């Protein structure tokens, strides 16, 4: 019998808890370093990244490289008491940490000084979104934490990009043990275009 979403989430949480934080950080750096050598990264003029939760696959190397390489970088901020979020552009002329504040679940989020990315989508031809998740399949299926933040935002982003003819690539970021043969999926679950993992 196929596993339910809560069952998969529980199993992955237990696996993450058993892993050494230092090993996970090293794996994250390997994944990011490989992605930074790709044509996709080099041709992207906007990167939507995220600030990781503890023991979550971390895109911080990609985030820092995007700023260093002069690409537009946006990070998410959750709307309090909701299941929606928006991405905000990080200013290139200020240190990253000076533009962040503690938000939902004690995760760093862009502060009020940052500009909402969505109305500016038309300025960018190629956008890559680095997407976190509890688990993925090689075919691009994704299981999130169950709140719908990314599914809701990505739908809005894709609609905006269709209007402006900007292209979007969704790249799921995960460790090997988060890459599963199959996942329980529903019609509203958005699939990734590619998966960034060690294997």
């Amino acid at each position: 019998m196929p596993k339910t979403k809560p069952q998969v989430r529980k199993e992955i949480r237990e696996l993450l808890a058993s892993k050494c934080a230092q090993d996970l950080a090293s794996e994250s750096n390997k994944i990011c370093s490989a992605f930074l050598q790709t044509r996709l990264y080099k041709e992207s003029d906007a990167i939507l990244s995220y600030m990781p939760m503890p023991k979550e696959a971390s895109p911080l190397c990609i985030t820092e490289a995007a700023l260093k390489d002069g690409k537009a970088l946006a990070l998410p901020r959750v709307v309090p008491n909701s299941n929606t979020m928006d991405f905000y552009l990080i200013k290139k002329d200020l240190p990253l940490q000076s533009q962040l504040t503690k938000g939902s679940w004690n995760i760093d989020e862009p502060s009020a000084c940052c500009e909402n990315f969505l109305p500016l989508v038309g300025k960018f031809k190629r956008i890559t979104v680095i997407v976190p998740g509890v688990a993925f399949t090689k075919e691009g299926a994704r299981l999130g934490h169950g709140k719908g933040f990314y599914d809701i935002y990505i739908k809005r982003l894709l609609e905006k990009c269709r209007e402006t003819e900007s292209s979007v690539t969704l790249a799921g970021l995960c460790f090997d043990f988060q890459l599963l043969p199959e996942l329980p999926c529903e019609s509203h679950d958005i699939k990734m275009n590619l998966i960034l993992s060690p294997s």
Side-chain angles (χ1 to χ4, degrees), residues 116-134:
N116 194 329
F117 177 78
L118 208 57
L120 306 173
V121 162
K123 292 184 176 182
F124 307 104
K125 290 185 178 177
R126 189 156 194 181
I127 300 163
T128 297
V129 188
I130 310 298
V131 185
V134 174

Side-chain angles (χ1 to χ4, degrees), residues 78-84 104-105 149:
V78 170
V79 177
N81 305 312
S82 78
N83 62 346
T84 60
S104 302
W105 302 286
F149 288 107

Side-chain angles (χ1 to χ4, degrees), residues 73-140:
L73 172 74
L75 298 172
R77 185 201 305 160
V78 170
V79 177
N81 305 312
S82 78
N83 62 346
T84 60
M85 65 181 180
D86 277 295
F87 278 74
Y88 291 83
L89 281 169
I90 299 300
K91 297 177 189 292
K92 297 174 185 177
D93 56 345
L94 294 174
L96 174 61
Q97 281 302 133
S98 73
Q99 301 178 65
L100 302 176
T101 184
K102 291 295 178 187
S104 302
W105 302 286
N106 207 34
I107 299 170
D108 285 337
E109 296 182 340
S111 63
C113 74
C114 299
E115 194 172 7
N116 194 329
F117 177 78
L118 208 57
L120 306 173
V121 162
K123 292 184 176 182
F124 307 104
K125 290 185 178 177
R126 189 156 194 181
I127 300 163
T128 297
V129 188
I130 310 298
V131 185
V134 174
F136 297 88
T137 68
K138 287 184 178 178
E139 293 72 36

